[in-house]
Amino acid sequence: MSARFEGAVLPVDRANVDTDQMVPAYLMNGVDSSGVGPHLFRGMSGGPELLAAHPDATIVVARENFGCGSSREHAVWALVQRGFRAVIAPSFARIFEENAYLNGVAPIVVDAARIDALLEAPTLALDLEQQRLTSARGEDVTFALDPLRKYFLLEGGYLEFMAAKRGPIRDWLRKVGETTSY
Amino acid sequence: MARTMFEKVWDAHVVEAMPGDNALIFVDRIVAYELTTPPGAVEIERRFDDKLFDPSRIIAVNDHISPAKDSESAMQARYLRTWAQRHGITMYDVGNNGICHVVVPERGYVDPGSVVICGDSHTCTLGAFGAFAFGVGTTSQAGAMLAGCVILQRPKIVRIAVNGRLAHGATAKDLALFMVTKLGFKGATGCVLEYCGSTIDALSMDERMTLCNMAVEAGATTAMIAPDETTISYLRGREAQPAGAAFEEKAAQWRGLRADPDARYDDDLIFDVSDLRPMVSWGTNPGETVPLDSVVPADASESSLSYMALAPGMRLRSIPLDQAFIGSCTNARLSDLRAAADVLRGRRVSVPTIVTPGSQAVKRAAEREGLHDVFQDAGALWTHSTCGACCGLSLGVLAPGARCISSSNRNFPGRMGTGGRVHLASPVVVAASAVLGRIAAPDELAPVEPAVPA
Ligand code: SF4
């Protein structure tokens, strides 16, 4: 994906938005990853209304511990299928954060003190290569991205990457075998 | 160099160090189920010739909605079933299944010191065996099905020593809830918890699983407990374990899996729990939990209070209920059902009460002891095993505004049904509350009249 983009903000002024709220379990009803976009935030009170009020949003801004709870990748697929490219929050749950990287949605950790201002910003500009976010209202924040995860975020292809590792992994397994001593 | 238990398992599974603090980690066991595995399996089918790295390392369980409740869930179950058949993957299906985190250990598929993944956040349950077991997303699981590995950022390691005897009606569930309140909801994000101490040593495997099950509710990657004789005797004779000398050889290895005495941790916590009392959640995450005999806290979050329709200062014991649920991967193993049955024996529930065993094997064992009669004589519904009401999928979905006391692990908004309100507690507290129709502890119940001899 392109490393630079500008997008409208979906202000989710809440902490602990769990993945049940993003896609309730009863709506995880496909055999593949398609078709979950319409369910985004269906389990969050006021969620669908919030989305309707920001039809062009591509960047979520939220409070701490975003994506906690269930490991369901459906939460990230729903974001992708609705055109979202980044989530900005002071902290993420581990599995959501991993899922986001692997699906090209940037999980961007920003100091909690800055979130108020970002929630107010109508649009934000992101440069994932430079790891920098700016707004017309003068926000200018640099953020950290893990180098390997940044690679998957920008290039995609996680399964292809893993497939290419099969040989070395089999070699390792042959060498190490199943013998482990502590 | 001295190493922690986690570090020993990690080091033994690093195939390759990767940029950042990442590593390619070998996975010994993958647990598949019908909601999160098929989308990954479909990708492998479409883009990688349907080739799996090693199907013999995969265990499949139809568990979240089993048997299917509608066409969609039937298609998910069918996909998993035909996929498992096609690859010769061992599968636990309708009639012989249950919740994967209950089925996998009770069949003996978890080795101390192994790495286990599943596309479900409560995979941390299996850390009770000294496995490094954790939830992952569908893509990461698919990567492991394809190549045998996951990529992980190295977690921090927190040692938690828990000492003192559980008394005053406190159970492993109360300990699990207590730990979430102490660590904070999200407080352990990025950490692996190594539990040790006299309390932990004294816990049964069922209880250790209850404790580890809720590690993820504090955000932890997982929790681990060093294998000991309790672990080894639990696993001996289970269907996936070898018999005789081969098992004892493995067990000898497992006995060596513990932290070196001078191992260094990123954080080191000590708790004494001899005063622990039964705990109940009042809010909308498991960290919003207080002792049952206290009140809704004064500094409670506004949004949680309004969702739960509660006010600060309300006594928890005064909160009336619409439903009670005993089930889930947290608390639906045989010992949980026995404890709940002890409370319900000779009594009647006063609100709709659903008892869903953790697996079909647990169900059958419970029935051999007559527990199904105890529950049904008390007026409770005794179901087959599935995730069911725990995540609002079937068998007891809550109506908007309905209030349920539950032995499960999550009280998120809408978790057990849109608008439904959930209070988390131990199976004995759920049972006592079911009798009184409000949040209650077993010691509040009037004694049961002795049956008149015929
Ligand atoms: S019982 Fe509940 S928490 Fe456990 S795996 Fe099933 S849905 Fe998840």
Side-chain angles (χ1 to χ4, degrees):
Chain A
M1 72 186 244
S2 67
R4 292 171 58 171
F5 57 92
E6 196 171 335
V9 168
L10 182 77
V12 181
D13 187 5
R14 308 174 194 215
N16 303 322
V17 173
D18 64 82
T19 54
D20 275 78
Q21 292 185 61
M22 297 182 71
V23 178
Y26 71 92
L27 293 170
M28 297 165 69
N29 44 26
V31 165
D32 64 15
S33 58
S34 66
V36 284
H39 305 325
L40 183 62
F41 292 127
R42 280 275 290 279
M44 188 167 96
S45 67
E49 294 78 4
L50 184 69
L51 272 173
H54 298 83
D56 303 323
T58 56
I59 298 171
V60 175
V61 177
R63 298 202 185 268
E64 64 178 16
N65 201 23
F66 190 85
C68 59
S70 159
S71 63
R72 63 191 68 162
E73 203 163 307
H74 302 64
V76 175
W77 297 331
L79 286 170
V80 170
Q81 289 167 27
R82 298 286 291 235
F84 285 94
R85 308 201 39 199
V87 183
I88 300 169
S91 59
F92 292 92
R94 174 187 63 90
I95 306 174
F96 177 88
E97 191 173 32
E98 292 171 1
N99 291 343
Y101 273 107
L102 298 185
N103 285 277
V105 173
I108 295 172
V109 176
V110 162
D111 200 54
R114 296 198 180 260
I115 293 294
D116 282 333
L118 297 179
L119 282 166
E120 298 282 310
T123 64
L124 292 171
L126 278 171
D127 185 331
L128 298 178
E129 193 53 61
Q130 299 300 316
Q131 299 173 204
R132 187 163 171 203
L133 85 84
T134 51
S135 78
R137 302 153 59 122
E139 289 296 313
D140 187 344
V141 187
T142 55
F143 51 84
L145 286 180
D146 174 273
L148 183 66
R149 292 172 165 196
K150 179 176 174 179
Y151 169 82
F152 290 124
L153 180 62
L154 294 175
E155 307 298 327
Y158 178 75
L159 290 182
E160 285 74 8
F161 180 91
M162 293 302 282
K165 288 274 178 202
R166 282 182 291 202
I169 292 169
R170 286 204 195 280
D171 290 344
W172 176 88
L173 196 56
R174 259 191 298 276
K175 206 170 77 214
V176 176
E178 306 282 332
T179 56
T180 307
S181 65
Y182 305 102
Chain B
M1 213 179 86
R3 293 181 299 167
T4 75
M5 167 179 39
F6 164 76
E7 285 175 315
K8 293 181 182 187
V9 179
W10 174 272
D11 291 350
H13 289 83
V14 173
V15 174
E16 188 186 328
M18 309 202 83
D21 218 0
N22 296 289
L24 193 62
I25 297 290
F26 189 73
V27 175
D28 298 291
R29 183 80 68 205
I30 301 170
V31 180
Y33 71 95
E34 82 277 24
L35 291 191
T36 61
T37 302
V42 163
E43 290 301 312
I44 295 176
E45 195 184 332
R46 288 180 187 157
R47 287 157 54 203
F48 300 93
D49 279 342
D50 203 27
K51 280 235 311 261
L52 303 181
F53 184 82
D54 184 355
S56 73
R57 294 180 184 275
I58 305 176
I59 301 298
V61 188
N62 270 328
D63 68 348
H64 273 62
I65 318 170
S66 184
K69 68 181 166 84
D70 52 20
S71 311
E72 281 82 11
S73 53
M75 288 191 282
Q76 292 171 321
R78 181 180 62 188
Y79 184 89
L80 193 75
R81 189 175 295 136
T82 49
W83 172 80
Q85 270 162 7
R86 189 161 82 229
H87 292 285
I89 291 167
T90 304
M91 167 120 193
Y92 294 90
D93 207 343
V94 178
N96 190 35
N97 56 352
I99 305 162
C100 65
H101 312 308
V102 178
V103 172
V104 165
E106 82 187 356
R107 306 289 181 150
Y109 285 107
V110 52
D111 278 9
S114 64
V115 172
V116 184
I117 64 156
C118 170
D120 188 278
S121 59
H122 291 107
T123 310
C124 53
T125 311
L126 306 179
F129 292 82
F132 177 39
F134 52 97
V136 294
T138 294
T139 302
S140 177
Q141 193 199 43
M145 297 190 317
L146 188 64
C149 283
V150 290
I151 294 176
L152 263 195
Q153 223 170 37
R154 189 189 177 85
K156 292 195 161 56
I157 314 160
V158 182
R159 177 168 59 184
I160 305 182
V162 187
N163 296 310
R165 203 168 65 84
L166 290 178
H168 317 290
T171 67
K173 176 59 161 290
D174 304 300
L175 177 57
L177 287 166
F178 170 78
M179 287 312 316
V180 179
T181 66
K182 286 297 166 187
L183 296 166
F185 184 59
K186 102 174 175 71
T189 304
C191 300
V192 167
L193 315 176
E194 282 193 20
Y195 278 117
C196 60
S198 66
T199 316
I200 307 299
D201 293 341
L203 295 179
S204 68
M205 287 317 298
D206 282 8
E207 294 172 315
R208 292 178 189 183
M209 285 191 260
T210 298
L211 175 62
C212 292
N213 175 271
M214 292 197 70
V216 68
E217 307 313 333
T221 300
T222 192
M224 292 174 76
I225 296 173
D228 60 7
E229 295 313 312
T230 304
T231 322
I232 291 166
S233 42
Y234 178 98
L235 288 172
R236 190 180 281 118
R238 303 267 163 186
E239 71 184 56
Q241 291 294 336
F247 178 83
E248 299 312 325
E249 210 171 292
K250 287 174 80 178
Q253 285 282 334
W254 298 338
R255 287 190 183 96
L257 175 58
R258 44 188 57 253
D260 296 329
D262 42 357
R264 295 242 301 269
Y265 295 84
D266 295 289
D267 212 342
D268 215 331
L269 307 172
I270 301 180
F271 297 96
D272 186 305
V273 294
S274 27
D275 280 333
L276 186 69
R277 299 286 200 284
M279 307 283 284
V280 180
S281 75
W282 61 267
T284 58
N285 72 61
E288 294 180 328
T289 292
V290 292
L292 186 153
D293 53 17
S294 63
V295 298
V296 176
D299 60 354
S301 117
E302 269 305 316
S303 59
S304 299
L305 287 173
S306 92
Y307 185 86
M308 293 300 287
L310 297 173
M314 277 174 82
R315 291 175 62 231
L316 285 173
R317 289 185 198 274
S318 70
I319 298 173
L321 300 164
D322 302 299
Q323 183 171 312
F325 173 61
I326 297 170
S328 89
C329 55
T330 321
N331 276 127
R333 287 171 287 268
L334 186 58
S335 54
D336 300 313
L337 300 184
R338 282 182 186 147
D342 283 344
V343 175
L344 290 175
R345 194 170 281 114
R347 298 191 166 98
R348 296 282 303 174
V349 300
S350 61
V351 293
T353 299
I354 297 161
V355 185
T356 298
S359 72
Q360 287 300 108
V362 166
K363 179 178 162 87
R364 297 191 64 192
E367 290 176 355
R368 274 183 224 115
E369 296 180 10
L371 303 186
H372 62 314
D373 282 332
V374 177
F375 292 125
Q376 292 174 114
D377 287 346
L381 174 67
W382 173 246
T383 78
H384 68 276
S385 180
T386 183
C387 289
C390 171
C391 52
L393 280 173
S394 62
L395 297 181
V397 180
L398 298 179
R403 191 182 295 280
C404 177
I405 190 155
S406 170
S407 76
S408 58
N409 47 35
R410 283 188 177 141
N411 50 348
F412 298 161
R415 171 75 179 180
M416 293 181 68
T418 308
R421 300 175 177 132
V422 181
H423 294 274
L424 305 173
S426 72
V428 289
V429 166
V430 174
S433 304
V435 171
L436 293 180
R438 60 164 174 87
I439 294 178
D443 60 13
E444 293 176 70
L445 299 175
V448 175
E449 296 286 316
V452 183

